[in-house]
Structures are given as C-alpha cells and as structure tokens.
Amino acid sequence: MSVDPPSSGRPTGPPSGPLSGPSQPPSGGGPPSEPPSGGGKEPEPRRPWWGSVPRVAIIATAVVAAVVLAVVLSRPDNGGTGATDGGTSTSSGEVFLQPAADTGPDEFTESTAQEDSSASPVTPSGDTESAPQNAVRGVNGDAPGLYGGTRNVASCDVEKQIKYFEDAPDKERAFASVVRIQPSEVPAYLRSLTPVQLRMDTRVTNHGYKNGAPTSYQAVLQAGTAVLVDDRGVPRVRCACGNPLSPPVAQQSAPKTTGNAWPGYKSSNVVMVTPAPQPVDEFVMCEPDGEWFKREAGDTGNKDHKTKKPDKSSPSASVTTPTAPSDSTSSQPPTSEPPTSDTDTSGPTTDEPPSSDTQQPPPDSDTGSDTGSDTGGGTTEQAPAS
C-alpha cells in the first residue's frame, strides 16, 4: 500500500467561511473603501425620481385631468342649466309679441308694406272649451274674413321684395333655405303668394337673419300685419321685414309671452292658420269700412272685385295643437338660433298684457309672460302688423 505524500500546507478545499467579506460595514465609521480598480463594473449612478419617463407621463396625465375637471366644474352652465334646445325657442317656452308696425329683430329686408294697419280686427268664433296649455285655436286658411285689406291695393310690394333679395344674395340663399327652394326660385315663389293683412292676432314661427344664417323663434303677429300667404292661406312672409314665416311649433308647456302688448291683446283670441283643405282660388276679404271683396290667389289687387258679406263674417276657430315640423317648409333650419331673452318664466301668468313700463321689445326683453288659462293653449300669440 502506497502512502500519499505529506500535504504542502496549502488548503486542499474551499474555505469554511463566506467567500465575501463581512456582511456588516466596518465599525470604523470612515468612508467605505474604493472598489478595486481592476476589471470590476462601476455601479450605475442613481437617477432622480423625475427622470423616469413612465413617472413623467403619469404626472402629466394627472395634471391635465385636474385642469379639465376644474374647467368643467367652473362653467356656469354645468349640469345643463344653460343648454339650449337645438338652437330653437321651442322648449324655452317664449313667444314674442310683435306689433304690426314693428320691424322686429334681425330683419331680412327693409319693409315692403304698402299700407298702414287698416284691416279691421275680428274675434274668432267657435270653440272656447278648455284645452292643453300648449294648444292654440286654429282657423282654416280659406275662412272668409280671416284676412283683410283695401280693395285694389296690395298690402305688400312683391316686386320691391324681389329686388331686395337680388341685391343681397346671401340673404336670398338664407330665405330659400327656410322655405326649401333654390335661391333662383325665390322670385317666382314670392310672385305666387297673395298680399293680405291679418285680422286676428296670429301665432307663427318667425325667421330672422343674423350672422349670415336664418334664425327662428315663436311669435304672435298683431292683427293688421301685412303678410304674404300661400295658396292654402298660410302666412309665409312678413312684409315689414321680409322674414319668412312658417306654422308655429309645439311647445312642451304653456309659453311665456315677451314684448310689447298692444291694446286689446288677449291670449285667448290668438289663432294659428291651418292649411285650407284645397288650394284657394279667391280669398274673401273685408275692407276697413266693412265692405267685402274677393282677391284671386297670387294677385296683387288688380283683379279685386266686390262681393256680398258672407253669412258668417267671423271665422270659426277650433282648438288645435301645433305639431313639430318635420320635412316640410315649416321646418326650422338646423342653423337657426332663437333670439336671446332674460325673461323670467317662473312667475304666474295673466291674460292681460303687461304694462308698458315693464315690456321690452323682442327678442332681448326682460318682460314677464302672458299666457292666460283661457287661451285653451299656452302656445297662442298675437301678430304684429306690417
């Protein structure tokens, strides 16, 4: 058996202690020793917290969100209190009283009315039963005595109206958009209408012109207002301002009237004109002196001829609820905007016109409302004469 040579004194295995130095720092309190200069990789220096890209992105997002939230919460119309109904006055509940001689806001043209408010006012007969607050009394457009004027005298100068639009193509385009025709068709359209004067305070949708586009708002035109009516007897143009007109729009609740009421105004006497069942060949009209005459549809008075007084000289009215316009000429253009008003609609309403010292001209008035319960429909209004 061989004997192994004696050990040289060097360890033949790994040391029994840990390979690294002591886990605790030296107790001397001095700075740690520098790392060896050879071969070892220097530790990467520590970046500040704001140097991290993900952290910066998170912080920026939080700041932006805070700013947006602050802006939203600070808006005066937060919660929908300042919202409007598609740019129309339909849900605002305001109806503007427009006297016959008042041009009104945002007129399309200068006045083309050729005679004063000479039509003799008349009170509608017929149904006076109670009705929903957003209803009015409707009268057929062919009813004898619905319109008046002077025999052989047109209440509106149609050719002058056409000339105004020829000189203002932008307004002509806006007018055409409301009545849903091409601008080139405006002259023929105007010549197809019949000039008359209202004999009853009449509710309509009035369209003004502002900032290059048509506006729309609910209005009552006073008896005596000069208008152009279509072949179904529906008012289509107000001669005092050249504004296109369309049937009134239904409102969700009883409307609040704004503006200057005229003597004798009563909300229960307001009517809206419903289209005649058939095209009208001749309108039976009343003169200021009580005489009666007929005017052919589309004629300016040259062919007027006398006629006898009808058996029923006061047009009959029945309770009618306006309907929201759809795809007809009564539709309000999508760019329309109602005139602004600060009217307080929270107070009680009355059937009597507000006093003159509290009324303001539409549409920028601060007047109260006038929608008596006897209207049978809060959407009734009075029409201004032109």
Side-chain angles (χ1 to χ4, degrees):
M1 179 174 73
S2 63
V3 178
D4 292 332
S7 171
S8 62
R10 293 181 182 178
T12 59
S16 59
L19 295 178
S20 60
S23 58
Q24 298 298 327
S27 59
S33 59
E34 296 295 330
S37 57
K41 195 184 237 183
E42 292 187 5
E44 188 174 331
R46 235 179 185 184
R47 293 183 180 179
W49 65 270
W50 42 264
S52 170
V53 173
R55 287 177 179 173
V56 170
I58 293 172
I59 293 170
T61 302
V63 171
V64 171
V67 171
V68 171
L69 183 61
V71 170
V72 171
L73 293 178
S74 64
R75 290 178 60 185
D77 61 346
N78 184 44
T81 57
T84 59
D85 183 37
T88 71
S89 60
T90 302
S91 65
S92 68
E94 288 184 316
V95 178
F96 300 96
L97 301 180
Q98 295 192 296
D102 182 19
T103 300
D106 307 329
E107 69 275 10
F108 266 77
T109 68
E110 295 180 23
S111 175
T112 60
Q114 294 199 119
E115 57 178 334
D116 296 332
S117 306
S118 58
S120 54
V122 64
T123 301
S125 63
D127 196 349
T128 58
E129 67 184 37
S130 60
Q133 289 185 322
N134 63 339
V136 294
R137 303 175 70 187
V139 178
N140 279 354
D142 60 354
L146 174 61
Y147 298 118
T150 303
R151 187 164 57 94
N152 300 128
V153 177
S155 58
C156 182
D157 190 334
V158 175
E159 295 304 317
K160 188 176 182 181
Q161 187 74 58
I162 293 173
K163 182 65 167 59
Y164 279 141
F165 281 128
E166 288 177 347
D167 294 339
D170 290 344
K171 291 183 176 181
E172 185 176 55
R173 282 192 293 271
F175 181 94
S177 72
V178 174
V179 299
R180 296 183 178 274
I181 60 176
Q182 295 299 318
S184 61
E185 299 173 320
V186 169
Y189 173 78
L190 292 173
R191 292 188 180 108
S192 73
L193 305 178
T194 307
V196 299
Q197 284 190 354
L198 302 174
R199 296 186 71 213
M200 300 180 185
D201 297 337
T202 305
R203 165 80 175 275
V204 297
T205 297
N206 200 340
H207 300 267
Y209 180 83
K210 186 176 183 180
N211 298 329
T215 66
S216 70
Y217 55 96
Q218 299 302 291
V220 173
L221 307 181
Q222 182 187 8
T225 299
V227 297
L228 297 175
V229 300
D230 64 16
D231 64 353
R232 299 300 179 101
V234 179
R236 293 300 180 184
V237 180
R238 184 169 183 250
C239 302
C241 52
N243 289 6
L245 306 174
S246 57
V249 177
Q251 294 177 308
Q252 297 177 358
S253 60
K256 313 300 180 182
T257 56
T258 300
N260 295 324
W262 40 89
Y265 167 75
K266 194 176 182 181
S267 58
S268 60
N269 290 336
V270 174
V271 300
M272 63 171 284
V273 179
T274 58
Q278 301 293 330
V280 179
D281 294 326
E282 293 181 320
F283 293 95
V284 180
M285 302 167 60
C286 183
E287 293 195 76
D289 59 4
E291 294 293 323
W292 290 78
F293 67 97
K294 290 183 178 180
R295 176 169 294 173
E296 293 184 9
D299 185 57
T300 56
N302 296 326
K303 300 178 182 179
D304 289 352
H305 55 277
K306 287 187 177 182
T307 188
K308 65 178 183 179
K309 181 179 179 179
D311 295 335
K312 208 172 182 184
S313 58
S314 179
S316 178
S318 60
V319 173
T320 301
T321 302
T323 57
S326 55
D327 195 21
S328 65
T329 56
S330 64
S331 298
Q332 298 183 29
T335 56
S336 65
E337 297 178 0
T340 58
S341 172
D342 296 326
T343 301
D344 179 9
T345 61
S346 60
T349 61
T350 175
D351 205 32
E352 297 304 320
S355 60
S356 58
D357 59 343
T358 62
Q359 297 168 1
Q360 303 295 332
D364 299 319
S365 93
D366 297 327
T367 61
S369 61
D370 184 340
T371 54
S373 59
D374 62 341
T375 64
T379 53
T380 60
E381 275 97 287
Q382 303 299 333
S386 305

